[in-house]
Amino acid sequence: MKSFRTEIEDPIVEYDILDLERKIFAFKEGKMDEEKFRSLRLARGVYGQRQQGVQMVRIKIPYGKCSANQLRRIAQVSDEYSNGNLHITTRQDIQIHYVSLDRTPELWAELEQDDITLREACGNTIRNVTASAMSGGDPNEPFDVTPYAKAFFEYFLRNPICQDMGRKIKIAFSSSVKDDAITFTHDIGFIPVVQNGARGFKMLVGGGIGAQPRVADVIQEFISVEEFIPFTEAVVRVFDQYGERNRRNKARMKFLIKEQGFEAFNNRVQEVYKAIFPKKIEVVPTENTTVSTANFDADKAVDIHFAKWKEINVFPQKQDGLVAVGIAIDRGDISSDKARALAEVVDSFCGDDLRFTIGQSILLRGIKEANLPALYQALQELDLAKAGYHKINDIVACPGTDTCNLGIASSMGLAAELQRVIEEETAKTDAFAWLIDGDGEVEEEESNVVVEDKENNVVEDEEKEQNEKGQEEEEEVDDSTERKTTPSKSDNSITVKSRTASHEAFDWLMSPVSEKHTQMLNNNPIVEEEAEEGSRNVMEEEGVVL
């Protein structure tokens, strides 16, 4: 068996891993300052944990795209170095816990065998690039943003200009103007646009949530796909030069824009761009054609539960005859054994296209619609066929006191209890029964009310960095279990109940998140209050999210 040092083909990656090993040794020998070591390990995806002597490791999954082999590799690494659990985050990453610091270089080397990195998953860097899980299959998209998100990730990975900024930068690519990647809450966001036959992006900057939320400004109504990466570099350079470095709770891009004013910030960006970037970066567009060629028995599992699951968890793709299937993952946690079994399902049904979502769930893509009954049965066997993908019972929650240094509450426990209450109340009021007619068929005209994107939870919970100075990440966990419907007991059909006040209240909870967010923004303008300096408890040790 070769040493992990000699199994890495890329010399740059090899240097990174060996450098981490050397720095760990130097730190333990007392030859490296604790703060310098902390900064280095964070930029290599290694976090401290509430439990002493172990680490949380964040695995970077650009735009959430993961192959079946990569999923198997991550499961294997979790078994060998962690506790056999994979935790999906709201930034489409995977986190594993209880890892020995000494073994993190070896762990990283194993991941790199399937082209998986830890680099810049944490720290004051450009974090994982997120994108719409439906990109490449979204019927509403002008074009597939996936190759552009990939090019963006590759361009800024290890780029010297973003290795030691005053604070992190978060990026999002939406697949359409519906903005399901929530670009308006990100430091930098992109929405695809076609103008006079040319591809480009509407570009937003300076969004954020937390204690002082800010809706991002539009810095470019249209920037071509050849220019958006160089222009982003200009934005990053301005942020790196002028951004706050002493007060971490004022160091995000939204505060720089607020302090300078958007016009002044934009002028600086335009000056930098014109001075150093007459160049363009060409990205070769590719269309996602990944699809399984297998055919399965179409007569399996066609029952009332299948109909409900299909209505709630299945989404048409722009490719004829193909659909995507959402899998709600209970509190964002999936065991390594189940992950390996799911990889087999991906191989059989999806043509190797799986996406982790910003709702901490999983989306399978490129599935033949005729194969849905067989896929449903395969997912049932893994206990992954629960109706409720990105719905009100698919709750986003942080790890809290389970593992987080900054945790002050059992968020995971609260999420589980909240889910229980929601499902029990749903069962009492038959909140889903009126969606289904007497033949057990979902009523088309009512189906839209069962759409509650988990993005609302992400918007509310993703980053509370202003309340926790020094907090290093805002990824959350979700709590996903099935909804319950109560059939009429008089016969085998389901009776449509009369609408009640409970139903009306439940409808609001399940209305599209964008509508509720608009209401909240209209009623609560951007918070402009400055927190009194020094009023917050400063906790410099990094934590996982709140």
Side-chain angles (χ1 to χ4, degrees):
M1 178 66 182
K2 294 182 180 180
S3 163
F4 76 88
R5 294 178 178 83
T6 61
E7 290 177 348
I8 303 168
E9 296 180 0
D10 189 327
I12 296 175
V13 173
E14 182 181 41
Y15 176 84
D16 265 353
I17 295 173
L18 294 179
D19 184 56
L20 176 60
E21 184 183 47
R22 286 190 294 267
K23 296 297 170 53
I24 291 172
F25 182 77
F27 172 69
K28 291 201 167 186
E29 290 288 309
K31 297 176 182 179
M32 186 174 188
D33 175 76
E34 183 175 359
E35 185 58 31
K36 286 185 66 176
F37 177 68
R38 174 178 174 272
S39 177
L40 179 133
R41 67 174 169 81
L42 287 173
R44 275 71 178 168
V46 183
Y47 268 52
Q49 201 173 298
R50 192 180 192 91
Q51 294 76 13
Q52 294 298 310
V54 291
Q55 313 294 314
M56 181 275 283
V57 172
R58 179 171 297 132
I59 300 169
K60 200 170 186 178
I61 313 291
Y63 45 94
K65 189 177 189 305
C66 184
S67 70
N69 281 339
Q70 286 176 323
L71 185 58
R72 291 185 186 98
R73 175 69 65 179
I74 296 170
Q76 174 188 326
V77 163
S78 181
D79 282 341
E80 174 65 25
Y81 300 93
S82 180
N83 61 352
N85 184 66
L86 284 61
H87 175 64
I88 306 168
T89 78
T90 58
R91 295 211 63 75
Q92 299 174 291
D93 290 315
I94 293 291
Q95 291 175 176
I96 59 176
H97 295 81
Y98 301 98
V99 177
S100 168
L101 179 62
D102 293 340
R103 302 193 73 191
T104 53
E106 186 179 355
L107 177 157
W108 187 359
E110 288 203 23
L111 289 171
E112 287 286 356
Q113 292 181 40
D114 277 291
D115 198 25
I116 305 168
T117 189
L118 306 182
R119 182 73 192 230
E120 294 150 51
C122 318
N124 297 328
T125 62
I126 292 181
R127 297 293 184 84
N128 194 36
V129 176
T130 62
S132 301
M134 281 290 289
S135 58
D138 186 350
N140 299 304
E141 66 185 16
F143 57 87
D144 183 5
V145 302
T146 304
Y148 303 98
K150 182 176 187 288
F152 187 101
F153 158 72
E154 292 173 345
Y155 185 83
F156 286 103
L157 186 69
R158 297 184 177 87
N159 194 312
I161 70 165
C162 53
Q163 297 306 302
D164 189 28
M165 299 182 293
R167 207 68 171 87
K168 61 195 167 190
I169 290 179
K170 294 188 172 182
I171 309 293
F173 285 77
S174 275
S175 59
S176 73
V177 293
K178 290 186 175 182
D179 199 15
D180 60 347
I182 331 178
T183 60
F184 61 89
T185 68
H186 282 72
D187 297 287
I188 303 175
F190 300 95
I191 298 173
V193 177
V194 174
Q195 189 174 96
N196 298 323
R199 292 182 174 188
F201 292 99
K202 180 177 183 178
M203 183 173 174
L204 300 88
V205 295
I209 44 182
Q212 298 188 51
R214 186 179 191 278
V215 175
D217 295 294
V218 177
I219 196 168
Q220 291 278 7
E221 285 289 350
F222 178 89
I223 185 163
S224 73
V225 291
E226 295 84 12
E227 297 174 301
F228 85 102
I229 291 178
F231 189 84
T232 299
E233 183 166 341
V235 172
V236 172
R237 287 181 179 274
V238 170
F239 173 69
D240 185 49
Q241 181 176 354
Y242 295 99
E244 176 66 44
R245 288 184 177 270
N246 296 319
R247 299 175 298 162
R248 288 182 59 80
N249 63 329
K250 296 292 181 183
R252 294 294 292 274
M253 190 180 294
K254 63 182 179 181
F255 293 108
L256 175 61
I257 294 176
K258 176 184 173 182
E259 178 184 335
Q260 293 190 347
F262 175 71
E263 185 176 355
F265 176 84
N266 187 25
N267 288 340
R268 285 197 166 104
V269 171
Q270 299 293 343
E271 289 171 6
V272 171
Y273 182 61
K274 290 176 183 178
I276 63 176
F277 290 121
K279 66 178 181 181
K280 296 182 180 181
I281 296 176
E282 184 177 357
V283 179
V284 179
T286 57
E287 289 296 328
N288 178 26
T289 57
T290 306
V291 59
S292 171
T293 58
N295 294 297
F296 295 86
D297 184 358
D299 295 329
K300 292 182 178 179
V302 179
D303 56 23
I304 185 60
H305 302 293
F306 171 78
K308 181 179 69 171
W309 172 82
K310 183 177 178 182
E311 173 66 21
I312 295 174
N313 290 45
V314 178
F315 310 91
Q317 291 188 191
K318 67 181 183 181
Q319 296 88 356
D320 289 343
L322 298 184
V323 295
V325 171
I327 302 175
I329 302 299
D330 189 20
R331 285 178 286 186
D333 290 339
I334 182 170
S335 71
S336 56
D337 287 341
K338 189 172 288 189
R340 273 186 286 269
L342 182 61
E344 297 299 320
V345 172
V346 172
D347 279 339
S348 298
F349 290 91
C350 312
D352 210 24
D353 198 351
L354 172 153
R355 303 287 173 102
F356 299 116
T357 77
I358 62 172
Q360 297 167 299
S361 295
I362 292 174
L363 189 71
L364 307 182
R365 298 146 46 94
I367 299 163
K368 292 181 179 179
E369 189 168 7
N371 288 340
L372 281 175
L375 173 61
Y376 175 74
Q377 185 178 71
L379 293 177
Q380 270 189 320
E381 293 173 0
L382 299 179
D383 193 25
L384 293 176
K386 300 173 183 178
Y389 170 80
H390 286 197
K391 300 296 187 288
I392 190 65
N393 65 330
D394 199 1
I395 300 171
V396 170
C398 71
T401 51
D402 285 8
T403 54
C404 179
N405 275 321
L406 300 179
I408 59 173
S410 177
S411 308
M412 299 285 268
L414 177 60
E417 180 63 13
L418 178 59
Q419 176 190 330
R420 183 190 66 78
V421 170
I422 289 172
E423 292 182 342
E424 285 188 0
E425 291 303 309
T426 299
K428 289 178 184 177
T429 58
D430 296 337
F432 287 101
W434 59 274
L435 288 172
I436 305 172
D437 66 21
D439 297 323
E441 304 258 359
V442 178
E443 292 182 305
E444 186 175 348
E445 64 272 18
E446 297 287 0
S447 63
N448 65 328
V449 301
V450 202
V451 179
E452 154 68 16
D453 289 336
K454 280 192 344 190
E455 295 158 3
N456 188 44
N457 296 317
V458 178
V459 167
E460 294 175 353
D461 296 332
E462 185 202 43
E463 61 166 309
K464 296 182 181 176
E465 79 240 12
Q466 315 313 324
N467 294 324
E468 302 287 354
K469 183 178 177 183
Q471 179 178 332
E472 290 296 337
E473 190 59 23
E474 294 86 25
E475 276 105 339
E476 317 295 340
V477 231
D478 71 86
D479 189 356
S480 320
T481 54
E482 67 178 319
R483 300 177 184 277
K484 297 181 174 65
T485 57
T486 304
S488 169
K489 296 182 179 178
S490 58
D491 53 39
N492 292 327
S493 64
I494 293 182
T495 304
V496 180
K497 303 288 184 179
S498 300
R499 300 305 308 281
T500 66
S502 297
H503 290 128
E504 299 298 333
F506 201 75
D507 284 355
W508 185 88
L509 286 173
M510 296 175 60
S511 63
V513 80
S514 57
E515 296 177 10
K516 295 198 291 292
H517 187 264
T518 300
Q519 293 174 24
M520 289 187 286
L521 286 179
N522 290 339
N523 295 331
N524 299 286
I526 297 172
V527 179
E528 296 292 345
E529 300 175 2
E530 293 286 346
E532 184 178 349
E533 194 65 36
S535 64
R536 294 188 177 91
N537 180 32
V538 178
M539 301 186 71
E540 288 296 336
E541 174 59 23
E542 80 285 348
V544 202
V545 294
L546 290 181

